Amino acid sequence: MQVIIFDDAQHVATNAAEWVAELINKNPKPVLGLATGSTPISLYQQLVNKHQAGQLSFKNTTSFNLDEYLGIDASNAQSYRHFMNENLFDHIDIDISKTFLPTCAQGENPRTQGLKYEEQIKQAGGVDLQILGIGANGHIGFNEPTSSLASRTRIKTLTQQTLTDNSRLFDNNEFQPTLAMTMGIATILDARYVLLIATGESKAKAVKDMVAGPLSAMCPASALQMHENAIVLLDKAAASQLEDQEYYQWAHDQNIKINQEFGLYHNY
Ligand code: GLP
């Protein structure tokens, strides 16, 4: 796991956007895994800026989102489809028919829908770069603590902590879904690269458990310890409970030198 610590959230977003831009510019048919939540909003803003400046085209990009609430359609302002349209898709040149979310409408079978999503990812050639945030309880996507490390796209019941954390996004009388479809942990681990971004003090404990804790279903993000190419971009607040911060900085400096000397870089 490569941990890179930045002074603030803005630098995290700028750096994350560079990773995405590199993939899109290098790969003729890039497949991006996307996340929702407050954290990636500034990353998406950076991508929109790059597109508007003529530096980045998403014409050949296919995208797969991590998760979507159950029984909510695109017309609902709380849907993750709505979030993605508003924060990214409406402002770039991506072919909207190549943007996928793991939906499950009222009356549809979540099991069939989960299998279908796995198949769609496979047909697209797999995810090249998966963007991830992290929940305060260590969840990735909506894989809550105790999720199987071998899980695939399926329906999940959200924990009380996640419902409370996300309640800030819902008005008092607004329906807040308690069920969601989410890529599984094994689905996420299949991505060729995984880029997790975390900012703010509220994520510090989850980040510590992910990076330095035991591999455990109690912290689903710790499964990234098993990934060959997991990159974790943090601001200082999110990194504040990590003990080996100097080592991470030093290792990052060495990696830059190694890449410069040997031309090793991401194999997109
Ligand atoms: C949500 C999403 C996750 C996201 C997490 C953190 O519940 N399902 O994909 O990473 O919560 O969100 P935020 O960035 O708003 O803290």
Side-chain angles (χ1 to χ4, degrees):
M1 194 182 285
Q2 195 183 337
V3 178
I4 312 176
I5 304 166
F6 296 90
D7 283 345
D8 53 43
Q10 198 50 42
H11 283 91
V12 170
T14 311
N15 194 269
E18 293 302 326
W19 284 82
V20 176
E22 191 199 345
L23 164 74
I24 291 176
N25 287 329
K26 270 193 179 171
N27 190 316
K29 281 178 77 180
V31 180
L32 256 186
L34 296 171
T36 50
S38 316
T39 316
I41 291 178
S42 23
L43 158 62
Y44 296 150
Q45 189 55 55
Q46 298 275 340
L47 295 177
V48 170
N49 293 347
K50 280 181 187 295
H51 171 68
Q52 288 175 347
Q55 296 161 2
L56 200 56
S57 169
F58 295 81
K59 258 200 319 237
N60 301 319
T61 301
T62 301
S63 73
F64 289 93
N65 263 77
L66 283 168
D67 43 20
E68 177 59 286
Y69 288 121
L70 200 88
I72 270 190
D73 65 26
S75 65
N76 189 313
Q78 290 294 351
S79 69
Y80 284 168
R81 163 60 74 185
H82 186 271
F83 174 99
M84 290 310 304
N85 287 349
E86 201 169 54
N87 287 291
L88 186 63
F89 300 152
D90 284 352
H91 314 287
I92 58 175
D93 59 347
I94 199 163
D95 175 352
I96 205 76
S97 71
K98 292 200 293 185
T99 64
F100 298 91
L101 286 93
T103 55
C104 188
Q106 291 292 355
E108 277 181 329
N109 182 335
R111 183 168 160 70
T112 318
Q113 290 301 105
L115 290 170
K116 185 173 139 200
Y117 201 59
E118 291 285 330
E119 190 54 32
Q120 284 171 322
I121 296 173
K122 208 163 127 193
Q123 291 301 322
V127 172
D128 292 306
L129 175 66
Q130 176 66 56
I131 307 294
L132 289 178
I134 185 170
N137 63 1
H139 75 209
I140 45 176
F142 270 135
N143 293 286
E144 298 285 31
T146 72
S147 286
S148 162
L149 301 182
S151 51
R152 293 273 161 195
T153 306
R154 69 212 183 290
I155 187 170
K156 279 299 286 182
T157 302
L158 307 185
T159 61
Q160 195 50 55
Q161 180 176 357
T162 297
L163 292 171
T164 308
D165 288 348
N166 289 353
S167 64
R168 70 184 193 283
L169 306 167
F170 292 81
D171 290 338
N172 278 347
N173 299 324
E174 204 173 15
F175 168 66
Q176 183 178 1
T178 55
L179 297 172
M181 293 293 290
T182 180
M183 278 188 198
I185 295 177
T187 320
I188 292 169
L189 292 180
D190 276 351
R192 290 178 192 96
Y193 285 82
V194 172
L195 185 69
L196 185 142
I197 52 178
T199 57
E201 181 84 43
S202 64
K203 302 294 173 68
K205 166 81 168 60
V207 165
K208 182 187 174 200
D209 291 346
M210 164 180 68
V211 175
L215 173 64
S216 164
M218 289 312 291
C219 176
S222 69
L224 300 186
Q225 294 174 18
M226 297 290 292
H227 197 284
E228 196 182 358
N229 298 305
I231 301 104
V232 175
L233 306 183
L234 307 171
D235 69 356
K236 282 186 169 161
S240 59
Q241 291 192 28
L242 290 179
E243 280 173 12
D244 291 324
Q245 293 184 41
E246 276 177 28
Y247 172 72
Y248 300 131
Q249 183 56 49
W250 188 63
H252 178 52
D253 295 343
Q254 300 312 306
N255 281 340
I256 292 173
K257 283 189 201 152
I258 293 165
N259 284 333
Q260 279 167 350
E261 190 177 343
F262 298 105
L264 299 173
Y265 221 46
H266 321 120
N267 188 22
Y268 283 146

